[in-house]
Structures are given as structure tokens and as C-alpha cells.
Amino acid sequence: MQRFALIGAGFIGGVHGANLAAHPDVDLAFVFDIDLARATDLAKRHGSRATTDLAEVFDPTAIDAVFIASSTDTHGEHLRAAATAGIPAMCEKPIDLDLARAVDIVRFAETRSLPAMVDFNRRFDRDYAELQRVVTSGEIGSVELIQMTSRGPAMPPFEYVAVSGGQMRDQTVHFFDLARWISGLDPESVFATGSTLAEPRLAEYGDVDTSAVTLRLPGGALVQIDCTRRIGYGYDERIEVLGSTGMVEARRQRAGSVSRYSAGRVVDDGLYAGWFERIRGSYRTALDHFVDALENGAAIGPTLAEALKAQAIAEAATRSLTSGRMEPIEYPA
């Protein structure tokens, strides 16, 4: 049984809190938030204890692991505190909004041999995991082209946008990680272009809501990613990998599989309403992986080093949005 402290009681903290409380091998000992009322509300729902004292959260005599689900700009400080205390950590992305600071935190964690995992949960989606297995097995030959789509149903609140780091670092970064994981290769360069079609005020934040990104892999294979923040028909996400001898696809998922037939038309169920409904189960599967690794001493991933590589791609893509050029990707040494 692993005694967990959950850091952050907002929306995503609530998601992780429910999963931690339901896990048979987890004791949700503490819920931390700077807002005591919010922490108390979440803790009461799951029979846990609320705290605003980080000393309790990072006490290795009382806690076996922490789940960092606080605001984006606090991930790094909490991860460093976990490393200092020697407490294994599962952390929402990114490690830090600033890549240089993220590298410094990861190097510090590595000196402490901290078991840590970044929650790139889409790796644990059943369809994407099978797609990756097919590609890795060589069933479709050598990867030549990967097509990815990430289209959200609605703009996030502006208070979120202000601290998100921008579309490349916040939304597209999941697909930068998937591109590396699926292909087994580190992209060499990136070209990104974007517009503010759904919400022109995003330009005030140096951000975009609609973008197209091309990654160039070693050997010349390409990855194309289209991302939008707002569409009018639900949440749309899919991946297609073209190989030298075949193709594998994880199709867009509908909320149901009922088709209604009448004269001259067929009406199918639509897509999931939002991103969370589409990938809800992958959060549980990612947590299962982390807890199992702690219980059995197995390898943990995605690692901090892998998260740094995805963030390095996002940094280069963000530069490309401004420069209008293909930008080289510089990975942390």
C-alpha cells in the first residue's frame, strides 16, 4: 500500500484524487492546496485529510509518493522538494514552463535517483498503445509519415491561457511526446505556423488557437500535426502512421456506436463532447503503471528525461511560430 499526497485540488487534481482514492493499492493520506476550502472539499469526498502545510506533504515518514497536479507554474518547485525528501513523484506536464529551469530540476532529481514519472497519459490510451506496438513490431515496415489530429471543443479560460505556455507547450506537446514514442526517433527539426481564428485576443498572449506543425525525423520521415482549440462538433483526436509496407490508424472515437437508418440518410452518434471524456480512462491506466512500478520496482515511464525531450520540441515549435522558419531542435545534453 502506497501512501500518497495529492498536490493540487483544482479540476485535474479532482480527477487524480478520485483515481487515487479508488486504487486498491493506494492510501490517499493528504490533499494539499493553497486554498484550504478547496483542499478540504476534495479530501472529504475521498476520506482523506486536507492540508496547506508542505512539510506534511514532503514527510517521508508519513508519505510514500506524491502526485503533483497543482498549477503549471508550481510543478518544478514541488518536484524539487520531492527529490530533496527522496519521495517518488508522479507529475503533470510540464516540469516547468522554462526549459532551462526544467533541465536544472531534472538533473537535481537524477542526482537523488528519484523515481519520477511525467503524466503523458495518452501513452496509456488503449488504441495508441496498440498502434505503438504495431509500429514497433515492424508490421508496417519503416515509418515514413505520421499524421496526428488534436481538435478541442472550446477555448480554455483566459486565466488558464495566461499560464499555459501557449498551444505548443500545452496542447501539442502531448503529440510531440507521442511522435517520439511511436516512431522511436527524436525529431531533428520543426516548422510550425498558426493563427488566431477562434479567439483573436489570444494574440495578446503571443498564442494561437489553430496550428499546423511539421516535424522532420532522422532519415527524412515526417510528422504532421494539426491542432485547434475550438471546433463545433465535439473532441476530435486521431493518429495515422504510414509505413513502407502498410498503414496503421487509431481512428477518431465516437461517443456511441449506434447508427440510425432512414430513407436517404444514416445518422451516427457524434464524437465525445470534450478531451477529458475521450481520454478519461488513460489517467487511471497511467496511475496503475506508476503504482505497480513502485510496488514491484519496475521501470517507470514516461521519465523526466523523456518529458524534457517533448518540451524541447515544443520550445523549437514555439520559436518557429515567430520566426516563420524550420527550427532545429536542441535537446538537453
Side-chain angles (χ1 to χ4, degrees):
M1 182 69 71
Q2 300 292 318
R3 299 167 297 174
F4 266 78
L6 172 64
I7 303 175
F11 168 75
I12 201 63
V15 172
H16 295 311
N19 289 336
L20 287 164
H23 199 289
D25 296 320
V26 168
D27 171 20
L28 181 54
F30 292 108
V31 175
F32 168 90
D33 198 280
I34 57 173
D35 183 337
L36 180 59
R38 192 162 63 174
T40 299
D41 179 63
L42 183 58
K44 282 184 175 179
R45 273 185 268 156
H46 301 302
S48 184
R49 179 182 163 196
T51 183
T52 57
D53 185 359
L54 286 173
E56 290 187 301
V57 169
F58 295 112
D59 177 3
T61 66
I63 293 298
D64 299 308
V66 295
F67 200 126
I68 302 169
S70 50
S71 60
T72 301
D73 56 349
T74 64
H75 292 175
E77 66 183 82
H78 293 319
L79 190 58
R80 185 183 291 276
T84 300
I87 297 175
M90 188 168 179
C91 184
E92 274 291 325
K93 60 82 188 166
I95 295 167
D96 192 278
L97 284 172
D98 182 83
L99 181 59
R101 286 198 302 267
V103 171
D104 182 62
I105 291 162
V106 170
R107 298 297 176 249
F108 177 74
E110 289 172 345
T111 65
R112 302 300 181 101
S113 300
L114 179 72
M117 172 178 162
V118 176
D119 194 20
F120 278 119
N121 57 298
R122 280 170 175 79
R123 289 194 186 196
F124 297 91
D125 178 84
R126 180 193 63 186
D127 291 355
Y128 293 164
E130 174 62 10
L131 183 146
Q132 191 264 357
R133 185 200 66 77
V134 169
V135 173
T136 302
S137 72
E139 288 182 36
I140 62 168
S142 302
V143 171
E144 295 183 347
L145 179 65
I146 301 177
Q147 302 268 14
M148 296 175 157
T149 290
S150 172
R151 301 174 185 168
M155 284 294 305
F158 277 101
E159 56 266 27
Y160 175 82
V161 169
V163 297
S164 70
Q167 191 180 50
M168 296 298 107
R169 299 184 182 101
D170 175 51
Q171 182 182 4
T172 322
V173 69
H174 283 285
F175 295 85
F176 296 150
D177 177 68
L178 286 173
R180 290 191 59 257
W181 181 58
I182 290 166
S183 68
L185 299 169
D186 289 333
E188 296 177 332
S189 56
V190 58
F191 175 77
T193 186
S195 300
T196 54
L197 301 178
E199 179 48 79
R201 286 180 295 170
L202 278 176
E204 299 172 15
Y205 297 86
D207 200 2
V208 298
D209 54 50
T210 305
S211 61
V213 178
T214 299
L215 302 173
R216 188 173 186 85
L217 302 177
L222 300 175
V223 181
Q224 297 189 125
I225 309 169
D226 72 86
C227 281
T228 61
R229 289 287 199 182
R230 182 270 297 136
I231 56 175
Y233 58 92
Y235 182 70
D236 189 354
E237 184 173 306
R238 69 181 182 88
I239 300 176
E240 175 187 292
V241 184
L242 177 67
S244 55
T245 61
M247 190 267 283
V248 60
E249 178 186 24
R251 293 187 296 272
R252 50 176 56 95
Q253 291 188 9
R254 299 184 184 275
S257 56
V258 175
S259 298
R260 301 153 185 84
Y261 292 80
S262 59
R265 67 174 184 169
V266 178
V267 180
D268 291 328
D269 287 329
L271 303 180
Y272 284 104
W275 64 269
F276 177 65
E277 291 83 356
R278 163 65 179 82
I279 63 170
R280 182 197 305 259
S282 63
Y283 284 111
R284 292 190 295 270
T285 309
L287 177 63
D288 288 344
H289 168 76
F290 183 66
V291 173
D292 181 69
L294 294 180
E295 294 270 290
N296 300 302
I300 292 176
T303 64
L304 298 180
E306 289 177 299
L308 282 181
K309 288 190 173 184
Q311 190 167 345
I313 299 170
E315 292 300 312
T318 301
R319 290 197 306 272
S320 180
L321 278 175
T322 302
S323 71
R325 298 189 301 269
M326 180 75 80
E327 293 285 349
I329 301 167
E330 300 174 359
Y331 295 103

